[in-house]
Structures are given as structure tokens and as C-alpha cells.
Amino acid sequence: MSAIMIAGLLAGYGIAMPVGAIGAYLVALTARTTLKTGACAALGVATADGLYALVAALGGASLTDVVEPVMAPLRWASVLVLVAMAARGAVTAVRAYRGRAAATVRTGTAVGPARAYAALLGLTLLNPATVIYFAALVLGSPATASLTRTAQAVFALAAFVASASWQLLLAGGGALLGRALTGRRGRLATALASSALITGLAAHLLLSA
């Protein structure tokens, strides 16, 4: 069970760490409102990540018998998906850094905690890359290919906790560290760190095959 928990934590951090448009909005939202509002918004993002992790775990478990004959090529496909995601994230971050691109954050009227939670939950759920990412990990890893209901819940909960801890860090540092985390160097560093983590997860799939 500890291996499942670690897998969920690593998966959660891998998808949460890049400071993209949603992360930039989260930092800016906290800076211009309150920590309570920012924390609720952060939990909205983490909730979406946890839901996608649970969906991937449930789907992976139910599809195990069907895909058993093609587990080897499926594992390779999962590795390729993860490596492609890592490469895309790194290349995009480097191009943005070199091109002096800055995140465009829309600032409107102040929102309350409940509205902030719902808004960030909805925005994150609209990102299809999240469910693809978790599905690739679940179906490609022997440790998570056949999970009990309890293990599925542990994996999803661990992913939620990892995502929540990172999003809350962004929210908590919104007022003081907003410029650093959403600036060119901050975005590059977090994107490259996430790409390295995702690449490490892909390598783990190969070594455990």
C-alpha cells in the first residue's frame, strides 16, 4: 500500500508542479484577494486532479483483464506518452523563457472562496492532458495496473494531497512570491522540474517491466 501511496504522490506532484496559466491565475488571485480565497481556489485545482486520478485508477482496474495480452506494448505506449508530455513541457517552457513570454492573467472583480473553488475546479477539469497523464501511469505501471478499491482510493487521495500541497504553496506565497513563481525564471524552473519528474516516472515504468 505504501508503494501505491508513493506512486500517487509522485503522480500528483508531476501534474501539479508546472506553473502554467492556472497556477499564474491562482497566485494572482491570492495576491489580490485573501489567503482563504486562494486556498479554496487551490483546493479546487487539487480536487480536479484527485478526481482524474480516481477515474484513471477505476478505469485501469476494470480494463486490466482486457489489456493483459497487450500489456507490454501498452507499457511502452505509456512511457512514450509520459516522455512526450515531459518533452513538450520542457520545450514550451524554454521557448517561453527565450521569447520573454509572460503569462497573461486576467484580473476581474473580487471573488469569494466558494466561487474561487468552483471556478478553478471547472478550469482544471477542462484540461484533458490531466486524465491522459494519470491513465498512462495507471495502465503502464505493474504497481498500479490491478488495484483494489482501497488502493484506488489511496492512489487518488495521495494524488490529491500532492496537488493540494503544491497549489496551497502557490496560494500561500501569492502575495510574497507571486512575481518569482510566475516570472520567466520561476516558470522555467518549475516546468523543467516537472518534466524531470515525469521522465523519472517513465523510466520507472521501464525498469519495473
Side-chain angles (χ1 to χ4, degrees):
M1 192 62 68
S2 60
I4 299 300
M5 183 181 297
I6 293 174
L9 289 172
L10 292 177
Y13 280 121
I15 198 65
M17 282 178 63
V19 181
I22 292 179
Y25 176 79
L26 175 60
V27 172
L29 176 66
T30 307
R32 66 185 175 85
T33 56
T34 64
L35 179 59
K36 181 179 180 180
T37 298
C40 287
L43 292 177
V45 177
T47 298
D49 288 343
L51 287 174
Y52 272 143
L54 181 59
V55 168
L58 291 172
S62 64
L63 292 175
T64 298
D65 294 337
V66 177
V67 301
E68 183 66 28
V70 291
M71 280 301 294
L74 180 61
R75 183 171 291 111
W76 277 100
S78 298
V79 169
L80 292 177
V81 168
L82 292 174
V83 170
M85 290 181 66
R88 181 181 179 183
V91 170
T92 300
V94 171
R95 286 179 176 175
Y97 180 79
R98 291 179 176 177
R100 298 179 180 275
T104 301
V105 180
R106 297 181 179 179
T107 57
T109 58
V111 297
R115 184 178 175 184
Y117 175 88
L120 270 295
L121 172 63
L123 286 174
T124 310
L125 286 175
L126 291 177
N127 183 13
T130 305
V131 70
I132 294 174
Y133 167 78
F134 282 119
L137 286 178
V138 171
L139 292 176
S141 173
T144 56
S146 181
L147 302 178
T148 64
R149 294 299 183 185
T150 301
Q152 290 168 355
V154 169
F155 178 82
L157 181 60
F160 167 79
V161 169
S163 178
S165 66
W166 180 258
Q167 305 302 338
L168 288 172
L169 175 64
L170 292 183
L176 299 176
L177 303 177
R179 292 184 178 179
L181 289 175
T182 59
R184 292 171 58 231
R185 292 183 179 179
R187 289 168 61 85
L188 177 64
T190 55
L192 292 180
S194 176
S195 294
L197 177 56
I198 294 175
T199 302
L201 291 171
H204 175 70
L205 294 185
L206 290 180
L207 294 176
S208 61

